[in-house]
C-alpha cells in the first residue's frame, strides 16, 4: 500500500508520476484516444467513427465474407488517413518514458503504427495494423503500398499469389486476435506492477481484460471507461497534456 502524499492532488499527473516511480515494471495499454490529437477519430466518443457507421457493416469478418468491396471502401479511406497522420506528443512522451526505463512496453489496440513511428521500440499490436493485407486462403501478406495501388483501379485487392480477395491486416469483429501478440501482451500485463491505460474506453474484450491481469492499473482517459471503479488512479484528462506533465514530474 502506498500512503498518498498529502501535497499531491490525488487525480493528477503528479500523482501518476509518483505511481510510475513506485510501481515498476510498468506496461502501457493504449487505445484510439492516444491518436485523436493526430487527427484520427476514435470510435466510441460522441464524434467517434462508430457514431457514423455500423462496425458490423464495415469491420466484421461476416461483412468481409458477405461484401468485401464494402469493407475495402471503409479501409481504403482508413489506410490513407492513418498513413498521412503524424505521431503526437502523447506518442512521443511514451517513447521517451521507454527510453528512460519507466515504461517497459506499449500494448496497443491501434492499427495506425504511430507508436513505432514515434520511437517506441517494444510495441505489441494486438489488433494488427495497416502495414499489410492478408490472404485468408494462402496466408500471403501484401504490403499496404501495393494494396493501395490495386485499389486505385479495383474495388478490392487480390492476392498476387492465389487470386483470392485480400483481407485488411487488422483484426475484424468476430476474428480471433493474433495469438503470439495476445500471449506476449498477457505475459507483459501479468509481470507488470502497474498497467497504465491511455485513451481507451476498455469496452472491447479480450484486450479490455488485460489491466485486470496486472496487480494494479491506472487510467488516463477523457471520460468514463469500463474499469474506472477498479483503477488505482484515474486521470480524466487529455493524453498529451497528462503524459507531458508526467514526464516533467519524473
Ligand atoms: N486524451 C484522452 N482520452 C481521449 C482522447 C484524448 N486526446 N481522445 C479520446 N479519448 C478517449 C475517449 O473519450 C474514449 O473514452 O479515448 C477513448 C477511446 O475509446 P474508443 O473510441 O472505444 O477506442 P478504443 O478503446 O481504442 O476501442 C477499442 O474497438 O472498434 C474497436 O478495434 C477497434 O481497437 C478498437 C477497439
Amino acid at each position: 500500500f502506498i500512503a498518498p502524499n498529502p501535497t499531491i492532488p490525488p487525480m493528477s499527473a503528479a500523482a501518476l508520476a509518483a505511481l510510475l516511480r513506485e510501481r515498476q515494471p510498468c506496461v502501457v495499454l493504449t487505445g484510439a484516444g492516444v491518436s485523436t490529437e493526430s487527427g484520427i477519430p476514435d470510435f466510441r466518443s460522441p464524434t467517434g467513427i462508430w457514431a457514423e457507421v455500423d462496425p458490423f457493416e464495415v469491420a466484421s469478418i461476416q461483412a468481409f465474407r458477405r461484401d468485401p468491396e464494402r469493407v475495402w471502401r471503409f479501409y481504403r479511406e482508413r489506410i490513407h488517413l492513418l498513413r498521412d497522420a503524424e505521431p503526437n506528443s502523447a506518442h512521443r512522451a511514451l517513447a521517451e518514458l521507454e527510453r528512460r526505463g519507466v515504461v517497459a512496453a506499449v500494448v496497443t489496440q491501434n492499427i495506425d503504427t504511430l507508436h513505432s513511428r514515434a520511437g517506441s521500440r517494444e510495441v505489441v499490436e494486438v489488433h494488427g495494423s495497416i502495414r499489410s493485407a492478408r490472404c485468408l486462403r494462402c496466408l500471403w501478406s501484401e504490403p499496404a503500398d501495393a494494396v493501395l495501388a490495386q485499389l486505385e483501379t479495383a474495388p478490392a485487392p487480390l492476392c498476387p499469389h492465389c487470386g483470392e480477395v485480400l483481407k485488411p491486416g487488422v483484426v475484424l469483429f468476430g476474428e480471433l486476435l493474433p495469438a503470439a501478440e495476445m500471449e506476449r501482451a498477457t505475459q507483459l500485463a501479468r509481470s507488470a506492477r502497474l498497467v497504465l491505460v491511455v485513451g481507451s474506453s476498455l469496452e472491447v474484450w479480450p484486450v479490455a481484460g488485460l489491466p485486470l491481469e496486472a496487480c494494479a492499473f491506472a487510467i488516463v482517459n477523457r471520460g468514463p471507461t469500463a474499469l474506472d471503479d477498479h483503477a488505482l488512479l484515474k486521470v480524466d484528462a487529455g493524453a498529451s497534456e497528462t503524459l507531458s506533465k508526467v514526464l516533467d514530474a519524473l
Side-chain angles (χ1 to χ4, degrees), residues 139-194:
L139 302 185
W140 178 270
S141 177
E142 186 74 347
D145 288 344
V147 168
L148 290 178
Q150 284 200 50
L151 288 169
E152 289 300 309
T153 54
L158 303 180
C159 174
H161 193 243
C162 76
E164 179 74 10
V165 175
L166 292 170
K167 185 189 81 74
V170 300
V171 177
L172 301 178
F173 284 105
E175 280 194 297
L176 290 175
L177 274 63
E181 283 76 7
M182 204 47 204
E183 172 58 34
R184 174 128 172 74
T186 304
Q187 176 249 331
L188 282 164
R190 285 180 181 158
S191 64
R193 288 195 63 232
L194 184 74

Side-chain angles (χ1 to χ4, degrees), residues 30-37 42-46 48 50 55 109-111 127 171 173 198-204 220-225 237-240:
T30 64
V34 81
S35 294
T36 51
E37 290 165 64
D42 64 15
F43 296 99
R44 292 174 185 80
S45 63
W50 299 149
Q109 301 171 87
N110 300 339
I111 62 172
H127 285 169
V171 177
F173 284 105
V198 182
S200 177
S201 64
L202 294 173
E203 296 280 346
V204 176
V220 175
N221 196 70
R222 201 179 278 145
T225 80
S240 291

